[in-house]
Amino acid sequence: MSPSSFSYVLQEVKPLTDYIYLHVLGEPLLHPQCEEILNICDANHMKVQLVTNGTFLKQYRLFKHPSVRKLSISLHSLDENPSIDLEDLYQTVLIYMDELQQDQYLELRFWRANTPSAKAEQFLAKLQNQFAFTDTKRNKSYQIKEHVYVAFADGFTWPDQNKDKVYTKGTCLGGIEQLAILVDGTVVPCCLDADGAIPFGNLFTSSLATILETKEYLDFVLALKENRLSAPLCQTCSYQTRFSK
């Protein structure tokens, strides 16, 4: 998405929220105009959450942007990215800890799996050797420094509407407390719908207010509130099971 298109989208969502995530699928720091987009967020006083695998952290000083409220670094896939040097990434993370400003947060994410990532386990061991892990009110989340947290989560099956349908009952926050806007302007319920399988409308041809009044959107939300998974994509998604616990 170009900065000009992003700026237009931002004006559409501002009446509804001051908190956005700069990702749907993929690595946000790969965007060639990432800095310009963050500058637009700064100027519009938006609160931004970035989720990154850490590959390009050294190329930026993200916490210089007042809009960046939370930076989450996904560390569960370190083994899948051989270009990342473990020690180099660890030292970069320490630098980011020191650069935190007031009202900014850093989260280090790990998945708990039957076969954990060897590099992720090494990274975690380094943190445990250097910092004390203090329980927080949030499940599986620990504070290791002011505004710095280590969080653990269970993995999930990425939805694919071409797979066998597994779930018919369930609920989710998608469409209710969040929306995703794809690069072409398509509005979908969440970031797991990167291919636009559940389109509610297009932000470049209709206002967000109009889209939120469409039958497609209202029927989708009603189904979730009634504990029904109406969309084929949702019927293959295990992520929604965490909201039924």
Side-chain angles (χ1 to χ4, degrees):
M1 185 178 291
S2 68
S4 60
S5 294
F6 176 78
S7 184
Y8 172 80
V9 168
L10 207 59
Q11 299 312 310
E12 283 291 309
V13 305
K14 277 183 70 174
L16 297 179
T17 184
D18 60 356
Y19 201 120
I20 61 173
Y21 289 67
L22 290 184
H23 74 275
V24 170
L25 177 67
E27 173 54 55
L29 300 186
L30 272 175
H31 196 295
Q33 295 161 302
C34 180
E35 287 280 7
E36 187 174 349
I37 286 174
L38 286 173
N39 288 336
I40 293 171
C41 293
D42 293 342
N44 283 274
H45 307 289
M46 297 298 291
K47 298 174 184 175
V48 172
Q49 174 155 330
L50 281 170
V51 180
T52 175
N53 64 19
T55 306
F56 302 101
L57 279 177
K58 286 185 72 173
Q59 299 179 22
Y60 295 92
R61 284 295 176 260
L62 296 171
F63 285 135
K64 75 177 184 181
H65 292 279
S67 60
V68 177
R69 182 180 181 274
K70 185 178 180 181
L71 174 65
S72 296
I73 306 174
S74 296
L75 297 162
H76 45 264
S77 59
L78 281 176
D79 282 344
E80 300 171 13
N81 195 340
S83 66
I84 295 181
D85 179 86
L86 187 69
E87 182 60 30
D88 188 52
L89 177 60
Y90 188 78
Q91 294 303 319
T92 301
V93 168
L94 294 181
I95 292 172
Y96 268 83
M97 288 185 188
D98 291 338
E99 291 182 346
L100 275 166
Q101 304 296 316
Q102 187 177 8
D103 297 327
Q104 291 181 324
Y105 297 84
L106 178 63
E107 178 187 57
L108 307 175
R109 291 182 176 180
F110 295 88
W111 276 3
R112 283 307 191 192
N114 293 331
T115 307
S117 161
K119 277 189 176 181
E121 289 297 308
Q122 293 172 34
F123 197 102
L124 178 59
K126 292 174 73 67
L127 289 171
Q128 291 170 328
N129 288 334
Q130 186 166 352
F131 301 99
F133 281 48
T134 303
D135 286 334
T136 68
K137 294 180 180 179
R138 187 176 176 184
N139 188 34
K140 300 178 183 177
S141 179
Y142 304 87
Q143 185 171 8
I144 62 172
K145 195 174 179 180
E146 187 175 9
H147 291 190
V148 181
Y149 297 85
V150 175
F152 300 91
D154 297 326
F156 62 92
T157 302
W158 197 274
D160 181 348
Q161 63 181 351
N162 296 316
K163 292 182 178 179
D164 291 339
K165 310 304 182 285
V166 179
Y167 311 98
T168 57
K169 301 292 185 181
T171 189
C172 189
L173 302 181
I176 298 175
E177 293 190 12
Q178 62 184 336
L179 292 168
I181 301 168
L182 307 185
V183 64
D184 66 353
T186 301
V187 179
V188 296
C190 73
C191 65
L192 298 184
D193 186 10
D195 294 326
I198 314 171
F200 299 135
N202 191 291
L203 205 55
F204 296 143
T205 57
S206 300
S207 70
L208 185 56
T210 298
I211 291 171
L212 296 182
E213 293 177 352
T214 61
K215 185 177 187 301
E216 291 82 1
Y217 171 76
L218 295 174
D219 286 352
F220 178 85
V221 168
L222 177 62
L224 288 180
K225 290 181 177 179
E226 293 178 345
N227 202 45
R228 292 186 291 112
L229 300 174
S230 60
L233 185 72
C234 301
Q235 293 170 4
T236 68
C237 180
S238 68
Y239 189 85
Q240 52 80 25
T241 59
R242 63 189 61 193
F243 300 111
S244 301
K245 294 178 180 179

